[in-house]
Amino acid sequence: MKEPEYKTDAWIQWCPGCGNYGILKALRDAVSELKIDPKKLVIVGGIGCSSRIVYYIRGGNVHTLHGRAIPVASGIKLSNPELTVIVAGGDGDILGIGMGHFVALGRRNIDIKVFIHDNSVYGLTKGQAGPTLPLGVKLRAMNYENAHDAVNPLLLAFASGYTFIARAYAYHVKELKNIMVEAIRHRGSAVVDILQPCVTYNELMTRDWFERRVYYLESILGEEVAIQKMIERGRIPLGIFFKAERATFEERIERFDVDLEKVLEKKAVLY
Amino acid sequence: MKVDLSFVIGGFQGGGVESAGQIAVRAFAMKGYDVLGSREYHSNIIGAHSYYHIRVGGKALQMPLDALIALDAESVFTHFQNMKDNGILICDLSSLEKKASQIPSMSKALKKRIELSYGDFPLNQILEKLEFRLIALPMAELLKSLSKSVEKPLSSVSRALNVIGTSAGLYLLGVDEFTIRKAIEKQFRDSDVNLRAMEIAIEEVKGEKRGEIPSVEKKENLIVSGNEAVAIAKLRSQIEFLSFYPITPATDEALFIEENRGRVITVQAEDEISALGMALGASIAGLRATVSTSGPGFSLMNEMISFAVQAEIPIVITLWMRASPSTGIATRTGQQDLLHAIFSGHGDAFKIVIASGDHEEAIEDVSLSFKLAEDFQMPVIHLLDKYIASSLTTVARDKFEFSLPKREFKGDSESYQRYRLTEDGVSPFLPLGMSTMIVSSLEHDEYGFATEDPEIREKMMLKRMRKFKKVAERVSKLSYSVHGFKDADVTIVSFGSTKNAIVEAIERSEHAAKFLQLRVLSPFPDISKEIRGKVLCVESNAGQLSLLLKSCCKVDAVARKLNARPIYVDEVLMAIDDAMNGKEEVILSEGA
Amino acid sequence: MEKRCSKCNSWLPHIHYSYIGYCCRKGDVSHHEYYCEFFSELSFEEEFLWCESCKVLISQEELEDHLSRGHCLFRGVFVDRDYREEIYEG
């Protein structure tokens, strides 16, 4: 694997032990394995610790606004289908403020990959509860117990129309890389919910906590079993839950030749 | 004798006013005249009052009305006070029995005003005392004759009634039967019922005194609404990407483009934030992209606009202003987003704002906007309003004879710097796919990497400020137009769709007046050398342009239109008189 | 009972012009004072009725109130087939 081609010389700002290191390695390995030309690789980030990944991997990258990576990525992909477009953002970015766009992407099934760096907190703004933090949990930086229940990103993705739904874990780099490769190869909108510890603000969901709960699905499941696995409690299944072949948004839009002169004719004053 | 007419066709929404208005506009256009047809309607689907106010022989609306074609009682009540003595009032005989209090769709406020001025009496009692040429058509009878003479069942009663009323009206105004027939044929796919309706109408009013509408020189014209004009201009400008969220009065523009899109990628977004986000993505990827919206949608786009400035992304945003604040009145006009447009996007967010005065300028300004957006890699806000969007007008066909060349990219992709520091502040642009790069909403170095270094930060701020200065140099010659007298006693300053009303007013005013029509509002032009005499600022908002003007000259009077209706020639004339008489604040209140 | 279309169970008044309406039996419009051999008396059995005086749909509960005020009630209302082409975006 030719790692140097995808490295940049930016100093990586993440805390030591941050799950983002695992995700970064897996992503570089994945694009390297797929031999994607950096000029044609587009990482689109929102705002947050995870979105900084746009500076750490060589490509034609875009650092957008909090929650708004998906619309920008959609515009890019529709304009140049040859590009490999990957959205990188935290759970707060993609499932909080960006929720509307997350659902809309599923409805469109544009060929974009969404990698959620899911640590259940808003790290960069110092540890507020994230959309995937369970009800009643109180972490060290929070004033009170979490009064919001957690959203289930996999079920939501399924309800929205995503055609590739997977969950992974940041510190199982090889498995994560394999899932990323499958997601990128898939034709249609793909989401990978990548669970990761936040060493600074999430003292509950540590490496240890995750590693005692995760296990891998044997194979891609049929719809009904997939949904059951998505809502499983106690243990955390990882792997590809659901995959389907459906027309992408690009394939749904008809493009044709139009004669503007005829359009003008219809508006002409005839004497 | 020059033909100069102002008349209204009114009826209920869904009841055929649209077709009637188009027929009337087309009929006069076919005689060779410049026609303006302004549509006024409620934010509702069926039943509320709507009308066309049509001007023939001029480009602005004026009062009083020469004629009122009132297809129901509500139309008479709404407009009769705006008619001139001996004006033609065509209505349905059965409308005359109605009282204002018996009309559920009419606003309570209007009912009260009528009651106060005239008492709650049936229409015929109120009209008896007034000096109109009342032509009450026995519509029920005429419908019976129509029904008898056509073979098929009448599925569209309202349209038939509209055609009867409008044909009678056009005929009495002086349009010949042949032209009315041609206008009706063009309007309906299946026109024999309506042509028969026209014949019955003309038969009914044959004995009445008629006006004269001679044919004049026929030009190669189109009849378009503002939405359509801008849509066609965008297609001519070779746009490649359009994203939109439905919002009145912008939707029709987007739908027109979508219908005739050809190879243009069109996407209906889930909200305005996404619409602009997608268009910016397309622009970064090298496509000519645009979005179209109104005030509330533009509010949502603010953060993205700041992004476009920081990341230096070319984009054209067409802002069709409407009555605000908040949801306001979706279907009525206003100019209340001037400051919003200029100061949109948090931070020192330099952008270009261009305001078109009418349909023709709107067409020119579309391609100008794209050129400036791409040359300077920043947002351009094209400011228009609902009045321009929805009014039909005759436009010379050759105004659409232009084409904008596609975007071109040249450059070395090895060690490409998206934000290279240059003398004029503009960095060479390569799209995604042609090079590795970073486009960032954070402050960045020349490669696009995020930085907090004080020196680089300062350099990037100066770069963007330098760029904006270059814009000012580039647009200096087109940032405003001067109309009227050089040595004037009063200088009117305004922007946008007030243009034609003011141009006409200064021609007719007894005072020597000059009009500075601002076209580029950001960068704000220096007009101090053009000021002569008193300064009168005219605008349809609470005082946004006057706020900006006070920074470069003394503003003696402000005329404000606040009732969500377009500006009329006669009220500008009145405002000029008031300003010359020392009045400092004038409120313009015409329009129904 | 006075026979006229506007008192017939098969007749729907036009949404705006009260003197004309649509006959469901004949599939054609007629004047409100006309009537034919298929006349049958108007009954108010629908869940929602059209009050022509108020130009709104009312429910059965409101029927008494409107009748007592002398309003004209009907089983429904007739809308021109092509009204969609005559409206603008709101």
Side-chain angles (χ1 to χ4, degrees):
Chain A
M1 308 215 209
K2 296 194 289 157
E3 254 207 52
E5 218 186 287
Y6 298 98
K7 274 198 164 138
T8 65
D9 55 20
W11 172 61
I12 299 177
Q13 302 180 351
W14 298 321
C15 309
C18 174
N20 281 324
Y21 279 98
I23 301 176
L24 175 60
K25 172 125 194 1
L27 184 55
R28 284 193 192 143
D29 289 347
V31 296
S32 173
E33 184 175 310
L34 291 165
K35 295 192 177 18
I36 300 177
D37 175 3
K39 285 206 215 62
K40 307 283 184 203
L41 174 65
V42 176
I43 315 282
V44 186
I47 299 289
C49 293
S50 22
S51 298
R52 294 252 167 176
I53 202 168
V54 306
Y55 300 111
Y56 309 145
I57 186 165
R58 212 169 131 252
N61 302 340
V62 189
H63 199 180
T64 67
L65 304 172
H66 195 34
R68 316 295 175 194
I70 287 177
V72 178
S74 302
I76 293 170
K77 180 69 186 188
L78 291 176
S79 304
N80 187 346
E82 283 175 30
L83 304 171
T84 300
V85 180
I86 298 173
V87 167
D91 53 295
D93 186 282
I94 295 176
L95 301 170
I97 181 172
M99 178 64 92
H101 308 307
F102 179 71
V103 170
L105 176 57
R107 291 171 57 214
R108 294 190 183 112
N109 197 31
I110 301 179
D111 189 15
I112 291 177
K113 324 296 144 187
V114 178
F115 296 160
I116 309 178
H117 300 219
D118 189 353
N119 63 5
S120 303
V121 292
Y122 284 87
L124 199 50
T125 47
K126 306 208 302 178
Q128 293 75 45
T132 56
L133 190 72
L135 181 68
V137 170
K138 183 186 166 327
L139 302 174
R140 63 167 63 97
M142 290 163 58
N143 286 324
Y144 307 104
E145 277 176 24
N146 188 15
H148 289 71
D149 208 341
V151 69
N152 185 324
L154 304 177
L155 211 52
L156 180 64
F158 186 77
S160 308
Y162 280 83
T163 48
F164 180 105
I165 303 173
R167 190 197 268 141
Y169 171 59
Y171 276 107
H172 289 174
V173 178
K174 187 148 156 284
E175 287 83 352
L176 172 56
K177 183 261 307 175
N178 289 335
I179 291 175
M180 283 179 169
V181 165
E182 285 312 307
I184 295 172
R185 280 205 181 116
H186 172 75
R187 200 188 94 248
S189 46
V191 60
V192 184
D193 180 28
I194 309 171
L195 303 174
Q196 59 165 148
C198 173
V199 292
T200 305
Y201 292 112
N202 193 339
E203 72 275 15
L204 169 68
M205 292 145 89
T206 58
R207 278 192 75 156
D208 204 48
W209 186 94
F210 280 116
E211 282 159 32
R212 272 188 277 123
R213 288 165 172 76
V214 299
Y215 73 96
Y216 283 88
L217 298 170
E218 308 254 309
S219 57
I220 300 175
L221 311 162
E223 262 187 31
E224 282 181 30
V225 189
I227 293 177
Q228 288 196 20
K229 285 290 175 189
M230 287 177 196
I231 59 178
E232 183 172 333
R233 291 189 186 281
R235 297 191 309 159
I236 305 175
L238 303 178
I240 304 171
F241 287 65
F242 177 75
K243 185 165 156 43
E245 295 297 313
R246 245 176 249 157
T248 59
F249 190 77
E250 301 89 300
E251 290 158 0
R252 297 174 197 167
I253 319 179
E254 231 188 284
R255 314 266 286 278
F256 49 90
D257 286 317
V258 73
D259 184 359
L260 263 188
E261 296 309 315
K262 289 217 173 73
V263 174
L264 289 175
E265 265 314 302
K266 281 199 229 153
K267 299 282 163 197
V269 178
L270 300 169
Y271 299 102
Chain B
M1 208 207 64
K2 192 169 162 280
V3 166
D4 188 345
L5 290 173
S6 169
F7 64 98
V8 163
I9 303 175
F12 81 98
Q13 206 135 295
V17 176
E18 178 53 26
S19 294
Q22 287 192 29
I23 291 169
V25 169
R26 191 174 297 114
F28 280 102
M30 284 173 167
K31 303 292 288 180
Y33 292 90
D34 282 331
V35 192
L36 170 72
S38 167
R39 297 153 157 167
E40 285 293 329
Y41 46 97
H42 283 75
S43 183
N44 123 307
I45 294 188
I46 188 171
H49 178 66
S50 66
Y51 67 92
Y52 252 89
H53 186 164
I54 298 175
R55 175 84 190 281
V56 182
K59 291 192 178 163
L61 297 178
Q62 71 179 4
M63 299 286 203
L65 305 173
D66 297 289
L68 170 60
I69 301 169
L71 300 159
D72 58 11
E74 186 170 356
S75 301
V76 185
F77 278 115
T78 308
H79 299 280
F80 77 96
Q81 293 169 83
N82 292 326
M83 289 189 64
K84 60 162 63 135
D85 286 345
N86 293 311
I88 303 171
L89 207 179
I90 296 179
C91 69
D92 185 349
L93 190 57
S94 63
S95 298
L96 296 176
E97 305 156 0
K98 280 239 155 85
K99 295 184 193 177
S101 53
Q102 292 169 330
I103 304 174
S105 49
M106 199 156 84
S107 89
K108 291 198 190 79
L110 177 57
K111 282 181 191 161
K112 225 173 169 191
R113 290 198 296 274
I114 291 176
E115 208 179 321
L116 278 171
S117 307
Y118 301 94
D120 187 28
F121 295 116
L123 247 185
N124 53 9
Q125 283 189 38
I126 297 178
L127 294 177
E128 254 171 17
K129 310 194 176 100
L130 301 168
E131 302 279 323
F132 306 135
R133 266 185 72 198
L134 179 60
I135 305 197
L137 299 173
M139 292 292 201
E141 300 304 315
L142 298 177
L143 260 186
K144 270 199 199 138
S145 336
L146 178 60
S147 222
K148 277 208 191 83
S149 64
V150 295
E151 303 296 276
K152 35 190 161 173
L154 257 186
S155 58
S156 190
V157 169
S158 304
R159 259 193 191 159
L161 289 173
N162 262 282
V163 173
I164 292 175
T166 305
S167 305
L170 291 175
Y171 188 73
L172 289 178
L173 285 171
V175 183
D176 55 286
E177 182 174 336
F178 179 74
T179 304
I180 303 176
R181 174 180 296 271
K182 280 242 120 17
I184 292 174
E185 274 171 6
K186 181 93 204 274
Q187 185 65 30
F188 303 111
R189 268 161 297 166
D190 182 17
S191 48
D192 30 312
V193 174
N194 294 299
L195 287 173
R196 190 70 200 104
M198 176 203 76
E199 286 164 7
I200 289 174
I202 293 179
E203 190 56 43
E204 181 69 23
V205 297
K206 243 192 160 77
E208 304 278 347
K209 175 163 154 264
R210 293 178 65 198
E212 257 186 64
I213 306 287
S215 288
V216 292
E217 190 209 331
K218 305 205 196 313
K219 304 155 229 155
E220 244 206 282
N221 279 345
L222 303 177
I223 299 175
V224 285
S225 67
N227 280 146
E228 290 168 339
V230 169
I232 298 172
K234 283 187 175 176
L235 289 168
R236 276 282 198 241
S237 301
Q238 304 223 66
I239 55 164
E240 299 165 282
F241 190 97
L242 166 79
S243 41
F244 67 98
Y245 187 80
I247 185 170
T248 308
T251 321
D252 281 343
E253 183 217 309
L255 291 182
F256 190 93
I257 295 175
E258 193 188 56
E259 191 185 347
N260 300 293
R261 68 178 171 209
R263 306 267 156 208
V264 180
I265 302 168
T266 60
V267 185
Q268 183 185 308
E270 63 276 22
D271 57 42
E272 280 88 349
I273 303 174
S274 176
L276 184 47
M278 286 198 233
L280 291 176
S283 187
I284 302 170
L287 266 52
R288 182 165 288 152
T290 179
V291 296
S292 190
T293 191
S294 185
F298 191 75
S299 281
L300 291 176
M301 292 179 174
N302 259 265
E303 202 199 2
M304 282 285 175
I305 290 170
S306 192
F307 173 42
V309 174
Q310 171 68 270
E312 303 196 43
I313 308 173
I315 186 75
V316 172
I317 302 171
T318 310
L319 174 51
W320 300 93
M321 298 182 284
R322 71 192 208 185
S324 293
S326 192
T327 312
I329 309 180
T331 51
R332 307 279 179 186
T333 199
Q335 295 185 304
Q336 301 181 297
D337 291 313
L338 175 64
L339 294 181
H340 189 189
I342 296 174
F343 298 117
S344 54
H346 57 281
D348 289 312
F350 301 113
K351 68 195 76 68
I352 303 168
V353 177
I354 300 176
S356 306
D358 55 24
H359 296 58
E360 287 192 2
E361 287 184 13
I363 297 166
E364 292 163 11
D365 291 341
V366 165
S367 54
L368 173 65
S369 298
F370 285 111
K371 274 200 219 95
L372 292 173
E374 286 158 25
D375 288 348
F376 294 99
Q377 296 166 28
M378 59 169 67
V380 175
I381 320 270
H382 185 183
L383 215 51
L384 293 154
D385 60 28
K386 179 263 161 200
Y387 169 54
I388 295 179
S390 63
S391 45
L392 296 185
T393 192
T394 43
V395 168
R397 189 183 175 130
D398 57 26
K399 287 247 58 129
F400 288 109
E401 301 300 312
F402 69 88
S403 179
L404 200 58
K406 289 201 175 221
R407 287 173 83 179
E408 257 180 23
F409 310 109
K410 283 177 282 224
D412 177 16
S413 62
E414 289 314 310
S415 70
Y416 169 64
Q417 293 177 314
R418 172 70 266 265
Y419 301 107
R420 178 145 69 89
L421 292 166
T422 57
E423 207 197 304
D424 63 358
V426 181
S427 318
F429 184 100
L430 283 185
L432 294 178
M434 275 183 75
S435 170
T436 56
M437 68 178 82
I438 301 182
V439 176
S440 183
S441 65
L442 275 76
E443 191 57 275
H444 43 253
D445 63 19
E446 294 182 275
Y447 288 95
F449 282 99
T451 182
E452 295 178 27
D453 181 86
E455 224 181 82
I456 301 182
R457 157 63 173 187
E458 191 181 276
K459 284 201 166 93
M460 284 297 166
M461 281 294 300
L462 289 168
K463 171 196 200 289
R464 291 188 290 265
M465 288 158 73
R466 214 156 53 238
K467 219 173 44 155
F468 195 56
K469 259 214 162 101
K470 283 286 169 204
V471 175
E473 284 170 29
R474 165 85 154 258
V475 301
S476 60
K477 297 232 167 25
L478 24 107
S479 47
Y480 60 90
S481 313
V482 184
H483 311 260
F485 286 88
K486 270 209 178 68
D487 292 310
D489 296 321
V490 57
T491 304
I492 304 175
V493 187
S494 189
F495 74 100
S497 65
T498 54
K499 174 194 174 189
N500 289 321
I502 300 176
V503 165
E504 213 174 303
I506 61 177
E507 274 168 28
R508 284 159 47 176
S509 177
E510 54 182 25
H511 302 281
K514 175 178 184 181
F515 170 33
L516 291 180
Q517 181 206 346
L518 304 187
R519 194 101 167 242
V520 177
L521 280 306
S522 173
F524 197 71
D526 178 12
I527 50 166
S528 45
K529 292 189 189 58
E530 302 278 358
I531 305 290
R532 298 280 181 279
K534 289 195 188 228
V535 174
L536 164 62
C537 179
V538 176
E539 52 186 339
S540 294
N541 57 51
Q544 300 188 15
L545 178 60
S546 45
L547 190 69
L548 295 175
L549 274 184
K550 284 178 188 163
S551 64
C552 66
C553 64
K554 183 169 173 293
V555 179
D556 299 289
V558 284
R560 302 198 174 105
K561 187 93 199 244
L562 303 171
N563 67 356
R565 300 294 185 276
I567 284 199
Y568 293 75
V569 177
D570 35 288
E571 52 188 0
V572 179
L573 277 168
M574 191 196 72
I576 297 174
D577 285 343
D578 283 344
M580 290 307 285
N581 288 331
K583 213 163 169 213
E584 284 175 3
E585 268 195 40
V586 184
I587 306 278
L588 310 176
S589 305
E590 289 212 333
Chain C
M1 142 107 266
E2 192 197 350
K3 278 192 185 176
R4 54 205 326 241
C5 283
S6 55
K7 295 266 185 272
C8 175
N9 214 30
S10 308
W11 199 77
L12 305 173
H14 186 270
I15 191 172
H16 204 72
Y17 302 110
S18 40
Y19 50 81
I20 199 150
Y22 180 78
C23 173
C24 300
R25 265 208 91 140
K26 290 204 159 151
D28 195 2
V29 297
S30 65
H31 192 266
H32 71 136
E33 284 169 347
Y34 179 73
Y35 72 92
C36 69
E37 71 271 30
F38 297 113
F39 175 83
S40 69
E41 211 179 304
L42 185 52
S43 67
F44 299 123
E45 269 152 28
E46 322 287 326
E47 199 187 334
F48 288 99
L49 299 155
W50 175 255
C51 174
E52 216 240 349
S53 313
C54 296
K55 297 272 197 261
V56 282
L57 286 177
I58 60 164
S59 63
Q60 272 292 331
E61 282 101 57
E62 302 169 89
L63 180 57
E64 261 318 302
D65 179 39
H66 285 255
L67 282 175
S68 69
R69 288 190 269 150
H71 290 186
C72 298
L73 276 308
F74 295 90
R75 289 179 55 226
V77 67
F78 164 59
V79 177
D80 302 283
R81 186 188 57 185
D82 45 32
Y83 78 93
R84 282 168 204 82
E85 293 166 36
E86 296 287 341
I87 57 181
Y88 320 106
E89 55 166 336

